[in-house]
Amino acid sequence: MPRHELLTGNEAVAHAVAMAKADVIGIYPITPQTTIIEEICNLAANKTFSPKIVHVESEHSAMATIIGAAFTGVRTFTATSSQGLALMHELLHWAAGGRLPIVLANVNRAMAPGWSIWTDQNDSLSQRDTGWMQFYCESAQEVLDTIFLAYRVSEQVLIPSMVVLDAFVLSHTSEPVEIPDNETINKFLPNFTPSFKLDIDNPCSFGALLRPQFYQEVRHKLNDAMSEALIKINESDKLWKQLTGREWGIVTEYRADDADYLFVTSATTASTAKPVIDKLRKEGLKIGLIKIRVFRPFPFEQVKKYLTKCKRAIIFDRNISYGHHGIFAQEIKSALYGVKNSPEILCYTGGLGGKDITPQLIEETIIKGTKTKLNGSLFEWI
Amino acid sequence: MKNLKTPLQQSGINVPISGQSLKTTAENKTGIWRNVEPFYLDRISPCAQVCLSGHDIPVIIELVYENKFEEALKILRLANPLPASTGRVCPAPCESSCLRKSLGGSVSIKQIERFLGDFAIENRIFCLSKGPHRGRIAIIGAGPAGISAAYFLAIKGYFVTVFEEKKKAGGLLRYGIPSFRLPKRILDRELEIVFKQLPVEFIYEKRITKDYEKLLRQFDSVIITCGKSISQIPDIPGAGEKMSGLTFLEQINNGDSQPLSGSVAVIGGGSTAFDCARSALRLGCDSTIYYRRSKKEMPAFEHDITEGLEEGIQIVENVIPIQIDKNGDYKITFAKTTSKDRKSAVKIIPNSEFAVTTDHILFATGEKQEHLFNKVQKETGGIDVSQTYRTSDPKLFAAGDVTVMAPGTVAGAILQGRLTATSVHNYLNKTTEPHPAKIPHLRGAKDDGTTIEKINLNYFQELRRSAQKATDIKSRLKNFDEISSTLNENSVAWEVKRCFSCGTCVYCSNCMNYCPDNAISFDSSKKRFSVNLDYCKGCLICVKECPRHCMGSKYAAA
């Protein structure tokens, strides 16, 4: 039987990692992630699970440690934020190139300088091209469920996963969370049997030299595995629904079916937007919501499916690619290039460095987005 | 669903999903990264480069390190049959160039040589001839060059007859150098173990001069090695042959000396001057050295000067005698001089004359050679020889101080004796054996020197040089006993441990241990490291981490 607990987003991560029985966890503190590893240490101290917890001197070493561990075929975890993730950058490539099913929780925090501990997505989106899967969550429940899904899919396709949650808004805010029983988890997430591993009885080298013809071959395979991952995510989501009644989708919609306008966003902004959608619907505006939950692999088909049905998409990014515009917006536009019935697209960026995204702000953005006379695509700061 | 197959998969080739080897780590031939490659190259060490006899010093030291004294002696004797003697009298330029100098003092190479020399004497390790015996060679003069040539010819199998005008062999070693530096008993015993089993005959008290031409008819070849045995007395009023420093030393070494009293003035600044002054001290005189240049320009070896000063010799610099008057004691009139360096002539300061009264005068102002070998000898002195020590007469050779190539040191004379032996052998056999001034490095080292910058000092800690035991100064002056004692085995072990072994591999395995690609292996039968270029990616950690510069690198196509 599932049980219910009041958990913050970070605690949800910790509980899921404990239930997934991660074997090796490299830890190094950084706000706002620190409470994840604190809770993991609590759970380990209480014998909820028995991981090897490795205290290291930097995020780089935290990732290096679990890469080494993952090569031996065990389940691994670490968590970080912002500068910590940036410091891991080189090793993120190693984890993906090494095809290691590592799961990492990144609590979105703005990059310094200026110094900030508050949320935006530029830290995780800067790691877009490292070959990791990225899941953006909007609730503690989604976080908990996504950790299980991430382990399952990562171990199926051998690509590491980054589960992303917003600083404070999600990481430090308590919500009731349904925690499945162990039996359910065992069904969903069986023990990991690696297809290759470091083995002193069968010495092989990993991550060594690849000549050009093989290098591209291996990269080709990684990219193919990303495509396969979308299928596996979908399958796993279905199984999760059977086991728990919950599904999270790849791209989720809210009142989008008959919408003329779609508000497209990610993470907790989507939660905030839902009452605004309801209010505007009541006022007669045919508006719906699309949330991009899986950012890598990018859900081209789902994006096409929803966005070709509307007249205009209002994309709200909590991130910015300097010299361009919001990163989700770029990706959505590229997915729609040359597609029949593509909508008009307006790109807004706001909420950086923890700047509050309130229902009023979303409402203003939508109103602005519906009324603006469009001449090509538009980018504006909110 | 689209076809998820990579191009290689479509052609039936399946490679792993990441950079993995399929079987062993050896699958990855990291050598293809390489654009530089390391190589092993032993280099002649700084000590060996300057060695006057051409010893392969690090190899000798390595053998001593392994307690293989007899083998070490064998290597020593490749270049020098008299290590007990040179181990006492050599100026040891090896030690001056020793790279260990800044980390506790240079290695006592000279003392190691002396130890091995004494080891040979005590254990009576005789020198043996290889044979087959052929040819008869005459050598005129049993000094260091003559002894060396006789030894090197005899071990090649020649019958050698050495003519010596004095009563015993040794030349300068016996009659010039005082016993407190080289005890005659050591010289006797060393000559015994060298020559006892060799086909060498010494004919003493036989002075060969113009009759050397007769020898040329009796022998297959003749070598003149009679050195310079006569003091060169400056041509100034009152100076004479009886003031010869060399004669004075010879008398003492013959046991003919009388106690002296009063004061002695020694004119000169070389080793002979110090030997004279120090001998005079032992006979009961006060000794003062008068030198025409400054002290730092003295040709005497540093240890002669230091020990002389310790014993109480006075040195008066920048003075030149211009007249000697005898009136009971002597009155020497000196003029003051200025000097720039050892090569340029001194300048006399006008009206700077002053007089010194002394009981005895000894001139140690150089040696000369009588004009005995008129056909081959230059008017000015030395016998004219080629680089291979041949004179204008093809049967006649000459080496040592008697020649124009006068080496000026015992060790240098020994080297010339060795090279002359090769020349004689080549002449008699019409062969072209090379004349290596350095004993060919046993591991084929190239004369590509090493310097302190090339030594990886991270591997060497400061280790103090062993102190050599010496008699205290007061007791020294009572007799002509040897001042210093031979290092004991423990101290020698310490000294060889201190050696960096510059440029000579001692199989420390650093290269192999540090190689990140496991590309270096050691062949223990050949005692040789090698690099497997299939895996060497050219990081050159091996070269960098070689403590003693036995490796190098070159650009190379992968």
Side-chain angles (χ1 to χ4, degrees):
Chain A
M1 282 289 286
R3 60 197 164 89
H4 292 81
E5 273 190 42
L6 202 58
L7 296 178
T8 63
N10 278 356
E11 286 164 350
V13 172
H15 280 260
V17 169
M19 294 186 77
K21 298 191 206 67
D23 298 292
V24 180
I25 301 172
I27 62 171
Y28 190 78
I30 184 170
T31 301
Q33 163 280 132
T34 309
T35 54
I36 296 179
I37 58 171
E38 282 175 357
E39 187 61 16
I40 282 176
C41 290
N42 279 335
L43 292 167
N46 298 337
K47 312 266 186 252
T48 309
F49 74 136
S50 317
K52 167 91 181 162
I53 293 178
V54 189
H55 297 251
V56 293
E57 77 293 346
S58 75
E59 288 85 354
H60 189 275
S61 300
M63 183 50 67
T65 301
I66 62 169
I67 285 173
F71 267 124
T72 68
V74 300
R75 203 166 271 167
T76 56
F77 179 79
T78 190
T80 191
S81 290
S82 185
Q83 319 295 125
L85 186 66
L87 186 57
M88 286 179 183
H89 175 74
E90 181 213 356
L91 292 168
L92 296 179
H93 282 283
W94 265 94
R99 302 299 295 273
L100 301 172
I102 290 168
V103 172
L104 173 147
N106 181 64
V107 181
N108 271 148
R109 165 181 158 177
M111 294 295 297
W115 212 233
S116 168
I117 56 170
W118 299 280
T119 194
D120 76 35
Q121 296 168 327
N122 261 57
D123 59 348
S124 52
L125 289 173
S126 293
Q127 307 304 338
R128 185 186 68 175
D129 300 333
T130 53
W132 283 57
M133 293 189 278
Q134 289 195 354
F135 302 88
Y136 287 83
C137 300
E138 62 172 301
S139 68
Q141 186 70 62
E142 186 182 0
V143 166
L144 182 107
D145 292 356
T146 304
I147 293 284
F148 298 127
L149 178 116
Y151 274 118
R152 183 181 155 90
V153 177
S154 280
E155 289 168 8
Q156 285 172 336
V157 299
L158 297 173
I159 300 176
S161 286
M162 193 181 294
V163 177
V164 186
L165 51 158
D166 306 39
F168 304 110
V169 181
L170 181 50
S171 70
H172 286 62
T173 306
S174 297
E175 296 171 41
V177 174
E178 183 182 297
I179 303 174
D181 55 25
N182 282 327
E183 202 185 321
T184 308
I185 299 306
N186 290 343
K187 274 185 203 153
F188 185 72
L189 186 61
N191 287 337
F192 174 47
T193 311
S195 57
F196 62 88
K197 63 173 186 176
L198 276 177
D199 181 355
I200 52 170
D201 294 327
N202 176 29
C204 292
S205 60
F206 293 94
L209 181 78
L210 277 179
R211 296 179 207 200
Q213 71 268 37
F214 296 124
Y215 184 88
Q216 185 168 321
E217 172 80 6
V218 160
R219 292 305 180 219
H220 195 142
K221 286 188 169 188
L222 175 58
N223 198 46
D224 282 354
M226 276 283 190
S227 307
E228 198 191 341
L230 272 178
I231 299 162
K232 297 292 179 193
I233 292 166
N234 199 34
E235 281 173 14
S236 298
D237 209 34
K238 296 274 179 317
L239 176 62
W240 192 246
K241 187 170 187 191
Q242 276 177 31
L243 295 168
T244 67
R246 290 188 296 279
E247 64 176 333
W248 299 99
I250 291 170
V251 166
T252 52
E253 57 90 23
Y254 181 70
R255 304 184 78 166
D257 262 357
D258 60 338
D260 291 335
Y261 301 97
L262 281 177
F263 184 70
V264 186
T265 190
S266 61
T268 55
T269 311
S271 298
T272 315
K274 281 176 194 163
V276 180
I277 302 293
D278 290 344
K279 178 173 176 260
L280 291 174
R281 276 271 178 180
K282 215 177 268 175
E283 289 168 9
L285 187 67
K286 284 179 90 177
I287 177 94
L289 169 74
I290 292 292
K291 183 186 83 164
I292 310 287
R293 168 173 140 80
V294 180
F295 178 70
R296 277 292 179 276
F298 192 79
F300 286 93
E301 294 309 316
Q302 289 85 343
V303 165
K304 273 186 231 168
K305 182 179 134 197
Y306 289 112
L307 269 70
T308 47
K309 284 195 244 163
C310 71
K311 286 194 277 188
R312 184 175 273 198
I314 301 156
I315 305 172
F316 190 98
D317 267 302
R318 201 166 203 169
N319 57 72
I320 176 72
S321 172
Y322 307 105
H324 203 303
H325 44 253
I327 294 162
F328 280 81
Q330 293 172 18
E331 301 251 342
I332 290 164
K333 285 202 287 186
S334 86
L336 294 170
Y337 177 76
V339 173
K340 221 174 140 191
N341 301 326
S342 286
E344 294 173 339
I345 293 175
L346 290 93
C347 315
Y348 296 98
T349 280
L352 296 192
K355 189 174 177 224
D356 264 349
I357 299 175
T358 59
Q360 292 74 23
L361 187 76
I362 292 173
E363 189 179 338
E364 281 165 27
T365 308
I366 292 172
I367 300 298
K368 204 174 185 182
T370 50
K371 293 198 171 148
T372 301
K373 249 195 168 170
L374 189 70
N375 186 11
S377 78
L378 172 141
F379 170 66
E380 258 186 49
W381 288 85
I382 289 293
Chain B
M1 188 62 220
K2 70 174 175 177
N3 182 14
L4 282 184
K5 269 197 173 168
T6 61
L8 283 179
Q9 276 174 333
Q10 284 168 32
S11 45
I13 301 167
N14 198 16
V15 298
I17 57 168
S18 65
Q20 300 168 24
S21 61
L22 294 168
K23 287 182 188 134
T24 73
T25 52
E27 293 288 315
N28 286 298
K29 296 203 170 171
T30 43
I32 62 164
W33 299 13
R34 188 182 62 247
N35 65 353
V36 286
E37 68 184 55
F39 56 83
Y40 289 91
L41 176 68
D42 277 7
R43 293 171 166 89
I44 298 180
S45 60
C47 52
Q49 287 197 7
V50 298
C51 177
L52 298 168
S53 320
H55 283 304
D56 189 353
I57 295 168
V59 171
I60 294 167
I61 287 187
E62 190 189 328
L63 289 167
V64 174
Y65 183 80
E66 293 168 356
N67 279 322
K68 295 175 181 163
F69 300 147
E70 217 170 320
E71 280 183 48
L73 180 70
K74 239 182 240 170
I75 309 286
L76 260 184
R77 283 176 171 172
L78 290 177
N80 173 9
L82 303 175
S85 302
T86 49
R88 287 170 165 83
V89 305
C90 185
C94 51
E95 294 191 16
S96 314
S97 68
C98 176
L99 299 184
R100 164 61 84 176
K101 210 189 270 174
S102 59
L103 274 177
S106 51
V107 175
S108 302
I109 301 166
K110 182 173 157 184
Q111 299 308 323
I112 295 166
E113 181 181 39
R114 174 173 167 175
F115 172 85
L116 289 172
D118 286 9
F119 174 84
I121 291 172
E122 276 152 32
N123 294 281
R124 298 182 69 73
I125 303 170
F126 294 102
C127 297
L128 302 172
S129 173
K130 285 190 204 118
H133 297 295
R134 60 205 162 170
R136 295 179 67 231
I137 318 291
I139 292 175
I140 304 168
I147 288 170
S148 168
Y151 164 80
F152 284 104
L153 283 165
I155 58 168
K156 274 184 190 288
Y158 292 94
F159 292 103
V160 183
T161 306
V162 185
F163 297 94
E164 168 58 48
E165 67 168 325
K166 301 217 164 92
K167 285 181 181 160
K168 283 182 162 182
L172 177 88
L173 289 168
R174 182 176 302 279
Y175 297 106
I177 293 169
S179 293
F180 58 83
R181 290 216 281 133
L182 172 62
K184 299 314 151 211
R185 142 190 78 79
I186 296 285
L187 180 64
D188 287 338
R189 294 176 70 193
E190 182 153 58
L191 288 173
E192 187 200 346
I193 59 161
V194 172
F195 288 112
K196 191 165 184 185
Q197 307 208 359
L198 292 183
V200 179
E201 176 192 20
F202 285 88
I203 298 176
Y204 295 114
E205 297 184 271
K206 174 79 182 164
R207 183 176 160 90
I208 306 285
T209 56
K210 296 199 170 72
D211 44 352
Y212 76 94
E213 291 185 51
K214 211 160 70 190
L215 296 182
L216 282 173
R217 291 192 290 276
Q218 293 165 0
F219 289 86
D220 295 317
S221 189
V222 176
I223 308 172
I224 304 171
T225 55
C226 57
K228 285 180 188 158
S229 53
I230 302 168
S231 276
Q232 190 168 319
I233 312 289
D235 187 14
I236 56 169
E241 289 294 334
K242 59 183 187 283
M243 297 170 187
S244 158
L246 280 184
T247 310
F248 170 74
L249 291 173
E250 187 179 336
Q251 280 168 358
I252 297 169
N253 280 320
N254 273 333
D256 302 339
S257 58
Q258 302 295 321
L260 289 181
S261 60
S263 59
V264 61
V266 181
I267 318 294
S271 289
T272 308
F274 280 85
D275 285 346
C276 287
R278 294 172 71 188
S279 296
L281 282 179
R282 284 162 173 76
L283 294 173
C285 274
D286 289 334
S287 294
T288 308
I289 285 180
Y290 296 90
Y291 181 48
R292 62 190 167 138
R293 294 193 172 89
S294 71
K295 197 164 84 185
K296 64 174 193 293
E297 286 150 3
M298 282 184 163
F301 303 122
E302 204 183 317
H303 63 90
D304 289 333
I305 301 174
T306 324
E307 288 180 1
L309 288 172
E310 272 171 17
E311 291 173 4
I313 288 171
Q314 304 293 314
I315 296 177
V316 180
E317 304 168 85
N318 286 106
V319 292
I320 192 163
I322 51 176
Q323 188 173 331
I324 297 169
D325 299 298
K326 177 140 169 75
N327 186 9
D329 50 13
Y330 292 98
K331 190 181 102 185
I332 314 174
T333 308
F334 286 101
K336 290 187 180 171
T337 66
T338 54
S339 59
K340 211 162 66 189
D341 54 50
R342 207 186 290 175
K343 279 177 191 146
S344 39
V346 297
K347 280 187 190 147
I348 294 177
I349 303 170
N351 306 319
S352 63
E353 292 82 4
F354 64 100
V356 168
T357 309
T358 183
D359 297 303
H360 312 281
I361 301 178
L362 292 172
F363 278 98
T365 44
E367 300 81 34
K368 63 176 180 183
Q369 183 53 55
E370 291 171 279
H371 197 69
L372 300 172
F373 309 98
N374 51 348
K375 277 195 182 161
V376 290
Q377 195 166 11
K378 280 188 170 178
E379 280 303 317
T380 47
I383 296 180
D384 211 355
V385 287
S386 70
Q387 288 296 314
T388 50
Y389 305 94
R390 305 176 74 140
T391 67
S392 51
D393 183 329
K395 277 183 90 171
L396 183 65
F397 297 78
D401 279 356
V402 73
T403 67
V404 289
M405 303 223 280
T409 57
V410 173
I414 288 171
L415 170 72
Q416 292 194 356
R418 168 161 67 84
L419 300 180
T420 309
T422 310
S423 272
V424 170
H425 176 78
N426 279 343
Y427 163 67
L428 293 177
N429 294 282
K430 298 189 171 55
T431 52
T432 51
E433 267 185 35
H435 291 71
K438 307 287 172 206
I439 285 299
H441 193 287
L442 300 172
R443 306 231 186 87
K446 298 276 161 49
D447 205 349
D448 170 0
T450 187
T451 59
I452 192 76
E453 291 77 24
K454 299 282 174 60
I455 298 292
N456 190 337
L457 290 175
N458 295 326
Y459 288 99
F460 302 103
Q461 59 187 120
E462 185 169 334
L463 299 174
R464 305 300 307 175
R465 178 182 163 110
S466 320
Q468 198 185 0
K469 275 188 197 147
T471 319
D472 68 88
I473 288 159
K474 239 183 175 176
S475 326
R476 268 189 218 177
L477 297 181
K478 287 179 186 155
N479 52 44
F480 281 78
D481 290 352
E482 187 168 27
I483 295 167
S484 62
S485 51
T486 305
L487 289 185
N488 63 26
E489 212 173 303
N490 284 344
S491 301
V492 167
W494 174 254
E495 286 304 307
V496 295
K497 186 184 158 197
R498 294 174 66 243
C499 175
F500 290 171
S501 191
C502 310
T504 299
C505 178
V506 298
Y507 317 112
C508 74
S509 300
N510 251 14
C511 49
M512 190 164 79
N513 296 341
Y514 278 110
C515 175
D517 288 279
N518 211 12
I520 293 177
S521 56
F522 183 62
D523 183 335
S524 49
S525 62
K526 289 183 192 157
K527 285 202 114 185
R528 208 163 59 91
F529 286 100
S530 57
V531 181
N532 183 343
L533 293 176
D534 276 351
Y535 298 101
C536 168
K537 60 179 187 275
C539 68
L540 302 184
I541 290 175
C542 52
V543 178
K544 178 106 180 153
E545 296 306 324
C546 174
R548 40 189 60 82
H549 196 209
C550 303
M551 295 191 78
S553 61
K554 62 182 179 199
Y555 282 97

